[in-house]
Amino acid sequence: SACSFTLLAWCTLRAMSGFTITSETQAYKRYLTVFDRQITYPDGRTAAFDIVGHPRSSFQFAVVFVYWSERKRVTLLREFAQAAAGLVYNFPTGSYDAGKDTSLQQSAARELSEEAGLTGGTWHRLLDDDHPGILEGKWCSNRFTPFLVIDPVQAEPQVAARDVEEHIEVIEWSVEELRAAILRGELLTPSVQTAFSALAWLEREKLL
């Protein structure tokens, strides 16, 4: 499963680095979970940290870059961000749900239909199959996997229903508009990484 593989890969990387988690307890839980984690360094020092993440999602989420090959445009979301108490630009993004998903690609497809009202298309995972996912942040255990989908179609209305707390506007940009927005710092960081990986793939395949 996505969870067991990620845990194995993470434990292997941790053992190779020489840093050891000597204790970890749950300090707080609501939508995010905060862990009190103690680390022993290779030289014997110890330090305690607050680490956040989504254990209910196996600390995994997917980000989807939607590309329209004929008109060479990209679908994005303008959506409410809780931390900013305002709107930001983002690609369709969603967490792994073990009760609904058998893979991260299935998570990505589900979120694409829910958030952007799109389904199908040609899918490409933008990391190697054995990659555990890109770390969301220094103090965050969540990891994300970027996906590229080319030429999806409109989903059925009932499939595209969103969560009640979401505020989402679906927009479309040219690749040039997307690059300019990235340089202005207007996209969330996982979407910036996903854009970089997707555009590199499209350039290699001569689809831009």
Side-chain angles (χ1 to χ4, degrees):
S1 68
C3 177
S4 60
F5 172 77
T6 301
L7 180 62
L8 175 61
W10 173 74
C11 289
T12 301
L13 290 171
R14 187 187 66 185
M16 291 173 60
S17 72
F19 295 86
T20 304
I21 297 175
T22 52
S23 68
E24 183 170 283
T25 57
Q26 181 179 296
Y28 172 81
K29 180 180 180 181
R30 193 164 65 173
Y31 182 70
L32 280 168
T33 301
V34 180
F35 299 94
D36 180 3
R37 176 180 290 181
Q38 182 164 309
I39 303 285
T40 299
Y41 286 62
D43 61 7
R45 287 178 297 148
T46 61
F49 302 97
D50 293 336
I51 306 296
V52 300
H54 287 299
R56 289 177 298 175
S57 303
S58 304
F59 304 101
Q60 292 285 307
F61 67 100
V63 185
V64 186
F65 187 103
V66 180
Y67 184 67
W68 305 98
S69 60
E70 288 192 8
R71 56 186 186 270
K72 301 188 185 306
R73 293 177 70 83
V74 179
T75 291
L76 295 96
L77 308 178
R78 188 169 181 256
E79 63 177 317
F80 176 72
Q82 296 87 341
L87 299 177
V88 298
Y89 294 107
N90 197 28
F91 294 131
T93 300
S95 298
Y96 174 77
D97 186 335
K100 299 178 180 178
D101 308 322
T102 58
S103 67
L104 268 173
Q105 183 170 322
Q106 188 173 349
S107 305
R110 176 173 51 80
E111 291 295 335
L112 182 64
S113 70
E114 291 175 1
E115 295 187 341
L118 299 170
T119 189
T122 303
W123 285 79
H124 302 278
R125 177 186 166 105
L126 297 173
L127 292 177
D128 291 341
D129 288 342
D130 60 352
H131 196 293
I134 301 167
L135 199 64
E136 185 176 6
K138 183 178 177 182
W139 301 83
C140 182
S141 293
N142 296 335
R143 292 177 177 270
F144 69 94
T145 297
F147 288 89
L148 165 66
V149 59
I150 301 174
D151 299 330
V153 297
Q154 190 68 41
E156 293 295 328
Q158 64 269 23
V159 176
R162 296 178 182 141
D163 294 335
V164 66
E165 75 276 5
E166 292 181 309
H167 175 94
I168 296 176
E169 304 165 17
V170 181
I171 62 173
E172 192 176 294
W173 281 345
S174 68
V175 171
E176 292 73 20
E177 288 172 316
L178 171 64
R179 285 173 166 153
I182 290 172
L183 292 177
R184 291 194 300 268
E186 295 179 354
L187 268 71
L188 298 180
T189 303
S191 290
V192 173
Q193 171 67 53
T194 299
F196 182 86
S197 299
L199 292 172
W201 190 98
L202 292 166
E203 287 173 351
R204 286 197 304 270
E205 299 299 316
K206 303 187 187 308
L207 292 175
L208 286 180

